[in-house]
Amino acid sequence: MSRLQIHPLHPPTPGHDAQAMPLLSSEDGAVIAAELAARGLRFERWPARGELVEGADQEAILSAYASEISRIQSQGRYPTVDAIRLGPDHPDRQALRQKFLAEHTHAEDEVRFFVEGRGLFCLHIGEEVLQVLCTRGDLIGVPAGTRHWFDMGATPRFTALRFFDNPEGWVARFTGDDIASRYPLLDP
């Protein structure tokens, strides 16, 4: 189930842990969409198709979700799409997790549609940190320049379509801020 938690950037009083006391916590899709939209982000829930076969490669994933890809690309902003699929046996899972956990920005929007599993987007916007647990059927759009990080968990299991407006794909600019270490991870 999708979930949004909004935390203050700084603890409200000395000695309190900001991440232990969210300002808002909701699993209601309409609330999640409204709260994110108020901050310039996109969140939608779409029907997800049947389960992908074990070992489905990128071509099979893109083919299975051709209508969803067409739906996004018809908006004219994201001509490039790929699929990322990570499981608990992926040989680079720990290195990838550490890379994604470092706060970064992109020069373009980050648009993801989760077709399997789950992942935690953490967005540093002004004086708040928004944690969005995305699950199967969730579409999230993070505007270019938004400071964020992503946690796929210690034993990842997710597949997501990634939409880009450049052929280079995922290019991050790391901020060097250790903020991600001060907020909850996907797996406690």
Coordinates of all heavy atoms in Angstrom, one line a residue, residues 84-148:
I84 N 13.7 -0.6 -15.1 CA 14.7 -1.1 -14.1 C 14.0 -2.2 -13.3 O 12.9 -2.0 -12.9 CB 15.2 0.1 -13.3 CG1 16.3 -0.4 -12.3 CG2 14.1 0.8 -12.6 CD1 17.1 0.7 -11.6
R85 N 14.7 -3.3 -13.1 CA 14.2 -4.4 -12.3 C 15.3 -4.9 -11.4 O 16.4 -5.3 -11.9 CB 13.7 -5.5 -13.3 CG 13.0 -6.6 -12.5 CD 12.5 -7.7 -13.5 NE 11.3 -8.3 -12.9 CZ 10.7 -9.4 -13.4 NH1 11.2 -10.0 -14.5 NH2 9.6 -9.8 -12.8
L86 N 15.1 -4.8 -10.2 CA 16.1 -5.2 -9.2 C 15.4 -6.2 -8.2 O 14.4 -5.9 -7.7 CB 16.6 -4.0 -8.4 CG 17.6 -3.1 -9.2 CD1 17.9 -1.9 -8.4 CD2 18.9 -3.9 -9.5
G87 N 16.1 -7.3 -8.0 CA 15.7 -8.3 -7.0 C 16.7 -8.5 -6.0 O 17.9 -8.0 -6.1
P88 N 16.4 -9.3 -5.0 CA 17.3 -9.5 -3.9 C 18.6 -10.2 -4.3 O 19.6 -10.2 -3.5 CB 16.5 -10.3 -2.9 CG 15.4 -10.9 -3.6 CD 15.1 -10.0 -4.8
D89 N 18.6 -10.8 -5.4 CA 19.8 -11.5 -5.9 C 20.7 -10.7 -6.9 O 21.7 -11.2 -7.4 CB 19.5 -12.9 -6.5 CG 18.5 -12.7 -7.7 OD1 17.9 -11.6 -7.8 OD2 18.4 -13.6 -8.5
H90 N 20.3 -9.5 -7.1 CA 21.1 -8.6 -8.1 C 22.5 -8.4 -7.5 O 22.7 -8.0 -6.4 CB 20.4 -7.3 -8.2 CG 20.9 -6.5 -9.4 ND1 22.1 -5.8 -9.3 CD2 20.4 -6.3 -10.6 CE1 22.3 -5.2 -10.5 NE2 21.3 -5.5 -11.3
P91 N 23.5 -8.7 -8.3 CA 24.9 -8.6 -7.8 C 25.3 -7.2 -7.3 O 26.2 -7.1 -6.5 CB 25.7 -9.1 -9.0 CG 24.9 -8.9 -10.2 CD 23.5 -9.1 -9.7
D92 N 24.7 -6.2 -7.9 CA 25.1 -4.8 -7.5 C 24.1 -4.1 -6.6 O 24.1 -2.9 -6.5 CB 25.3 -4.0 -8.8 CG 26.4 -4.5 -9.7 OD1 27.4 -5.0 -9.2 OD2 26.2 -4.4 -10.9
R93 N 23.2 -4.9 -5.9 CA 22.2 -4.3 -5.2 C 22.7 -3.3 -4.1 O 22.1 -2.3 -3.8 CB 21.2 -5.3 -4.6 CG 21.8 -6.2 -3.5 CD 20.8 -7.3 -3.1 NE 21.4 -8.1 -2.1 CZ 22.3 -9.1 -2.4 NH1 22.7 -9.3 -3.6 NH2 22.9 -9.8 -1.4
Q94 N 23.7 -3.7 -3.4 CA 24.2 -2.9 -2.3 C 24.8 -1.6 -2.8 O 24.6 -0.5 -2.2 CB 25.2 -3.7 -1.4 CG 24.5 -4.8 -0.6 CD 23.3 -4.4 0.2 OE1 23.3 -3.3 0.7 NE2 22.3 -5.2 0.3
A95 N 25.6 -1.7 -3.8 CA 26.3 -0.5 -4.4 C 25.2 0.4 -5.0 O 25.3 1.7 -4.8 CB 27.3 -0.9 -5.5
L96 N 24.2 -0.1 -5.6 CA 23.1 0.7 -6.2 C 22.3 1.4 -5.1 O 21.9 2.5 -5.2 CB 22.2 -0.1 -7.1 CG 22.8 -0.5 -8.4 CD1 21.9 -1.6 -9.1 CD2 23.0 0.7 -9.3
R97 N 22.0 0.6 -4.0 CA 21.3 1.2 -2.9 C 22.0 2.4 -2.3 O 21.5 3.5 -2.1 CB 21.0 0.2 -1.8 CG 20.2 0.7 -0.7 CD 19.9 -0.3 0.4 NE 18.9 0.2 1.3 CZ 18.7 -0.2 2.5 NH1 19.6 -1.1 3.1 NH2 17.8 0.3 3.3
Q98 N 23.3 2.3 -2.1 CA 24.1 3.4 -1.5 C 24.1 4.6 -2.5 O 24.0 5.7 -2.0 CB 25.5 2.9 -1.2 CG 25.6 1.9 0.0 CD 24.8 2.4 1.2 OE1 25.0 3.5 1.7 NE2 23.9 1.6 1.7
K99 N 24.2 4.3 -3.8 CA 24.2 5.4 -4.7 C 22.9 6.2 -4.7 O 22.9 7.4 -4.7 CB 24.5 4.8 -6.1 CG 24.5 5.8 -7.3 CD 24.8 5.0 -8.6 CE 24.6 5.9 -9.8 NZ 24.9 5.1 -11.0
F100 N 21.8 5.4 -4.7 CA 20.5 6.0 -4.7 C 20.1 6.7 -3.4 O 19.3 7.7 -3.4 CB 19.4 5.0 -5.1 CG 19.4 4.4 -6.4 CD1 18.9 3.2 -6.7 CD2 20.0 5.1 -7.5 CE1 19.0 2.6 -7.9 CE2 20.1 4.5 -8.8 CZ 19.6 3.2 -9.0
L101 N 20.7 6.3 -2.3 CA 20.5 6.8 -1.0 C 21.1 8.2 -0.8 O 20.8 8.9 0.2 CB 20.9 5.9 0.1 CG 19.9 4.8 0.5 CD1 20.5 3.8 1.5 CD2 18.6 5.5 1.1
A102 N 22.1 8.5 -1.6 CA 22.7 9.8 -1.5 C 21.8 10.9 -2.1 O 21.4 10.8 -3.2 CB 24.1 9.8 -2.2
E103 N 21.6 12.0 -1.4 CA 20.7 13.1 -1.9 C 21.3 13.6 -3.2 O 22.5 13.8 -3.3 CB 20.6 14.2 -0.8 CG 19.6 15.2 -1.3 CD 19.5 16.4 -0.4 OE1 20.5 17.2 -0.3 OE2 18.4 16.7 0.1
H104 N 20.4 13.8 -4.1 CA 20.8 14.3 -5.5 C 19.7 15.0 -6.1 O 18.6 15.1 -5.6 CB 21.3 13.1 -6.3 CG 20.3 12.1 -6.6 ND1 20.0 11.0 -5.6 CD2 19.4 11.9 -7.6 CE1 19.1 10.3 -6.1 NE2 18.7 10.7 -7.3
T105 N 20.0 15.6 -7.3 CA 19.0 16.3 -8.1 C 19.3 15.8 -9.5 O 20.3 15.2 -9.8 CB 19.2 17.8 -8.1 OG1 20.4 18.2 -8.6 CG2 19.0 18.4 -6.7
H106 N 18.3 16.1 -10.4 CA 18.5 15.9 -11.8 C 18.2 17.1 -12.6 O 17.4 18.0 -12.1 CB 17.5 14.8 -12.3 CG 17.7 13.5 -11.6 ND1 18.7 12.6 -11.8 CD2 17.0 12.9 -10.6 CE1 18.6 11.6 -11.0 NE2 17.6 11.7 -10.3
A107 N 18.7 17.3 -13.8 CA 18.5 18.4 -14.6 C 17.1 18.2 -15.4 O 16.7 19.1 -16.1 CB 19.6 18.6 -15.6
E108 N 16.5 17.1 -15.2 CA 15.2 16.8 -15.8 C 14.3 16.2 -14.8 O 14.7 15.8 -13.7 CB 15.4 15.9 -17.0 CG 15.9 14.5 -16.6 CD 15.9 13.5 -17.7 OE1 15.2 13.7 -18.7 OE2 16.7 12.5 -17.6
D109 N 13.0 16.1 -15.2 CA 12.0 15.5 -14.3 C 12.4 14.0 -14.1 O 13.0 13.4 -15.0 CB 10.6 15.5 -14.9 CG 10.1 16.9 -15.1 OD1 10.7 17.9 -14.5 OD2 9.1 17.1 -15.7
E110 N 12.0 13.4 -12.9 CA 12.2 12.0 -12.7 C 10.8 11.4 -12.6 O 10.0 11.7 -11.7 CB 13.0 11.8 -11.4 CG 13.2 10.3 -11.2 CD 14.3 10.1 -10.1 OE1 15.0 11.0 -9.7 OE2 14.5 8.9 -9.8
V111 N 10.4 10.6 -13.6 CA 9.1 10.1 -13.7 C 9.2 8.5 -13.7 O 10.0 8.0 -14.5 CB 8.4 10.5 -15.0 CG1 7.0 9.9 -15.1 CG2 8.3 12.0 -15.0
R112 N 8.5 7.9 -12.7 CA 8.6 6.5 -12.5 C 7.2 5.9 -12.4 O 6.3 6.5 -11.7 CB 9.3 6.1 -11.3 CG 10.7 6.7 -11.2 CD 11.7 6.0 -12.2 NE 13.0 6.5 -12.1 CZ 13.5 7.5 -12.9 NH1 12.7 8.0 -13.9 NH2 14.7 7.9 -12.8
F113 N 7.0 4.7 -13.0 CA 5.7 4.0 -12.9 C 6.1 2.6 -12.4 O 6.8 1.9 -13.0 CB 5.0 3.9 -14.2 CG 3.7 3.0 -14.1 CD1 2.7 3.3 -13.2 CD2 3.6 1.9 -14.9 CE1 1.6 2.5 -13.1 CE2 2.4 1.1 -14.9 CZ 1.5 1.4 -13.9
F114 N 5.7 2.3 -11.1 CA 6.0 1.0 -10.5 C 5.1 -0.1 -11.0 O 3.9 0.0 -10.8 CB 5.9 1.2 -9.0 CG 7.1 1.8 -8.4 CD1 7.2 3.2 -8.4 CD2 8.2 1.1 -7.8 CE1 8.3 3.9 -7.9 CE2 9.3 1.8 -7.3 CZ 9.3 3.2 -7.3
V115 N 5.7 -1.1 -11.6 CA 4.9 -2.2 -12.1 C 5.0 -3.5 -11.2 O 4.2 -4.4 -11.3 CB 5.2 -2.6 -13.6 CG1 4.9 -1.3 -14.4 CG2 6.6 -3.0 -13.8
E116 N 6.0 -3.5 -10.3 CA 6.1 -4.5 -9.3 C 6.8 -4.0 -8.1 O 7.6 -3.0 -8.2 CB 7.0 -5.7 -9.8 CG 6.5 -6.5 -10.9 CD 7.4 -7.6 -11.3 OE1 8.6 -7.4 -11.4 OE2 7.0 -8.8 -11.5
G117 N 6.6 -4.5 -7.0 CA 7.3 -4.3 -5.8 C 7.1 -2.9 -5.2 O 6.0 -2.3 -5.3
R118 N 8.2 -2.3 -4.6 CA 8.0 -1.1 -3.9 C 9.4 -0.4 -3.8 O 10.4 -1.0 -3.9 CB 7.5 -1.3 -2.5 CG 8.4 -2.1 -1.6 CD 7.7 -2.5 -0.3 NE 8.7 -3.1 0.5 CZ 8.9 -2.9 1.8 NH1 8.2 -2.0 2.4 NH2 9.9 -3.5 2.5
G119 N 9.3 1.0 -3.5 CA 10.5 1.8 -3.3 C 10.1 3.0 -2.6 O 8.9 3.5 -2.7
L120 N 11.0 3.6 -1.9 CA 10.7 4.8 -1.1 C 11.4 6.0 -1.6 O 12.7 6.1 -1.6 CB 11.2 4.6 0.4 CG 10.9 5.7 1.4 CD1 9.4 5.8 1.7 CD2 11.7 5.4 2.7
F121 N 10.6 7.0 -2.2 CA 11.2 8.3 -2.7 C 11.1 9.2 -1.5 O 10.1 9.4 -0.8 CB 10.3 8.8 -3.8 CG 10.7 8.4 -5.1 CD1 10.2 7.3 -5.7 CD2 11.7 9.1 -5.8 CE1 10.6 6.9 -7.0 CE2 12.1 8.7 -7.1 CZ 11.5 7.6 -7.7
C122 N 12.2 9.9 -1.2 CA 12.4 10.9 -0.2 C 12.7 12.2 -0.8 O 13.7 12.3 -1.5 CB 13.4 10.5 0.8 SG 13.1 8.8 1.6
L123 N 11.9 13.2 -0.6 CA 12.0 14.5 -1.2 C 12.2 15.6 -0.2 O 11.5 15.8 0.7 CB 10.6 14.8 -2.0 CG 10.2 13.6 -2.8 CD1 8.7 13.6 -3.0 CD2 10.9 13.6 -4.2
H124 N 13.3 16.3 -0.4 CA 13.7 17.4 0.5 C 13.2 18.7 -0.2 O 13.8 19.2 -1.1 CB 15.2 17.4 0.6 CG 15.8 18.5 1.4 ND1 17.1 18.7 1.5 CD2 15.2 19.5 2.1 CE1 17.4 19.7 2.3 NE2 16.2 20.3 2.6
I125 N 12.1 19.2 0.3 CA 11.4 20.4 -0.3 C 11.3 21.4 0.8 O 10.5 21.2 1.7 CB 10.1 20.0 -0.9 CG1 10.3 18.9 -2.0 CG2 9.4 21.3 -1.5 CD1 9.0 18.4 -2.6
G126 N 12.0 22.5 0.7 CA 12.0 23.6 1.6 C 12.3 23.1 3.0 O 13.4 22.5 3.2
E127 N 11.4 23.2 4.0 CA 11.6 22.8 5.4 C 10.9 21.5 5.7 O 10.6 21.2 6.8 CB 11.1 23.9 6.3 CG 11.9 25.2 6.2 CD 13.3 25.1 6.6 OE1 13.6 24.5 7.7 OE2 14.2 25.5 5.9
E128 N 10.7 20.7 4.6 CA 10.1 19.4 4.8 C 10.8 18.3 4.1 O 11.5 18.5 3.2 CB 8.6 19.4 4.3 CG 7.7 20.4 4.9 CD 6.4 20.4 4.2 OE1 6.3 20.3 2.9 OE2 5.3 20.5 4.9
V129 N 10.6 17.1 4.6 CA 11.1 15.9 3.9 C 9.8 15.0 3.8 O 9.2 14.7 4.7 CB 12.2 15.1 4.7 CG1 12.4 13.8 4.1 CG2 13.5 15.9 4.7
L130 N 9.5 14.7 2.5 CA 8.3 13.9 2.2 C 8.8 12.5 1.8 O 9.7 12.4 1.0 CB 7.6 14.5 1.0 CG 6.8 15.8 1.3 CD1 7.8 17.0 1.2 CD2 5.7 16.0 0.3
Q131 N 8.3 11.5 2.5 CA 8.7 10.1 2.1 C 7.4 9.5 1.5 O 6.4 9.4 2.1 CB 9.1 9.4 3.4 CG 10.4 9.9 3.9 CD 11.0 9.0 5.0 OE1 10.4 8.8 6.0 NE2 12.2 8.5 4.7
V132 N 7.6 9.1 0.2 CA 6.5 8.5 -0.5 C 6.9 7.0 -0.8 O 7.8 6.8 -1.6 CB 6.3 9.2 -1.9 CG1 5.1 8.7 -2.6 CG2 6.2 10.7 -1.7
L133 N 6.1 6.1 -0.2 CA 6.3 4.7 -0.5 C 5.5 4.4 -1.7 O 4.3 4.5 -1.7 CB 5.8 3.9 0.7 CG 5.9 2.3 0.5 CD1 7.4 1.9 0.3 CD2 5.3 1.6 1.7
C134 N 6.2 4.1 -2.8 CA 5.5 3.8 -4.1 C 5.5 2.3 -4.2 O 6.4 1.6 -3.9 CB 6.3 4.4 -5.2 SG 6.3 6.2 -5.3
T135 N 4.3 1.8 -4.6 CA 4.1 0.4 -4.8 C 3.5 0.2 -6.2 O 3.2 1.1 -6.9 CB 3.1 -0.2 -3.7 OG1 1.9 0.5 -3.8 CG2 3.7 0.0 -2.3
R136 N 3.2 -1.1 -6.5 CA 2.7 -1.5 -7.8 C 1.5 -0.6 -8.2 O 0.5 -0.4 -7.4 CB 2.3 -2.9 -7.8 CG 1.8 -3.5 -9.1 CD 1.6 -5.0 -8.9 NE 1.3 -5.5 -10.2 CZ 0.3 -6.3 -10.4 NH1 -0.5 -6.6 -9.5 NH2 0.1 -6.8 -11.6
G137 N 1.6 0.0 -9.4 CA 0.5 0.9 -9.9 C 0.7 2.3 -9.6 O -0.1 3.1 -10.0
D138 N 1.7 2.7 -8.9 CA 2.0 4.1 -8.6 C 2.8 4.8 -9.6 O 3.9 4.3 -10.1 CB 2.7 4.3 -7.2 CG 1.8 4.0 -6.0 OD1 0.5 3.9 -6.2 OD2 2.3 3.8 -4.9
L139 N 2.4 6.0 -10.0 CA 3.2 6.8 -10.9 C 3.6 8.1 -10.1 O 2.7 8.7 -9.5 CB 2.3 7.3 -12.1 CG 3.0 8.3 -13.0 CD1 4.0 7.5 -14.0 CD2 2.0 9.1 -13.8
I140 N 4.9 8.4 -10.1 CA 5.3 9.6 -9.4 C 6.2 10.4 -10.4 O 6.9 9.8 -11.2 CB 6.2 9.2 -8.1 CG1 6.5 10.5 -7.3 CG2 7.4 8.4 -8.5 CD1 7.0 10.2 -5.9
G141 N 6.0 11.7 -10.3 CA 6.7 12.6 -11.1 C 7.4 13.7 -10.2 O 6.7 14.4 -9.5
V142 N 8.7 13.7 -10.2 CA 9.5 14.6 -9.4 C 10.1 15.7 -10.3 O 10.9 15.3 -11.2 CB 10.6 13.9 -8.6 CG1 11.4 14.8 -7.8 CG2 9.9 12.8 -7.8
P143 N 9.8 16.9 -10.2 CA 10.3 18.0 -11.1 C 11.9 18.1 -11.0 O 12.5 17.8 -10.0 CB 9.7 19.3 -10.6 CG 8.5 18.9 -9.8 CD 8.9 17.5 -9.2
A144 N 12.4 18.5 -12.1 CA 13.9 18.7 -12.2 C 14.3 19.7 -11.1 O 13.6 20.6 -10.7 CB 14.2 19.4 -13.6
G145 N 15.5 19.4 -10.6 CA 16.0 20.3 -9.5 C 15.6 19.9 -8.1 O 16.1 20.5 -7.2
T146 N 14.7 19.0 -7.9 CA 14.2 18.7 -6.6 C 15.2 17.8 -5.9 O 15.6 16.7 -6.4 CB 12.8 17.9 -6.7 OG1 11.9 18.7 -7.4 CG2 12.3 17.6 -5.3
R147 N 15.6 18.2 -4.7 CA 16.5 17.4 -3.9 C 15.8 16.2 -3.4 O 14.7 16.3 -2.8 CB 17.1 18.2 -2.8 CG 17.9 19.4 -3.3 CD 18.2 20.4 -2.2 NE 19.1 19.8 -1.2 CZ 20.2 20.3 -0.7 NH1 20.6 21.5 -1.1 NH2 20.9 19.7 0.3
H148 N 16.4 15.0 -3.6 CA 15.7 13.7 -3.2 C 16.7 12.6 -3.1 O 17.9 12.7 -3.5 CB 14.6 13.4 -4.2 CG 15.1 13.0 -5.5 ND1 15.5 14.0 -6.5 CD2 15.3 11.8 -6.1 CE1 15.9 13.4 -7.6 NE2 15.7 12.0 -7.4

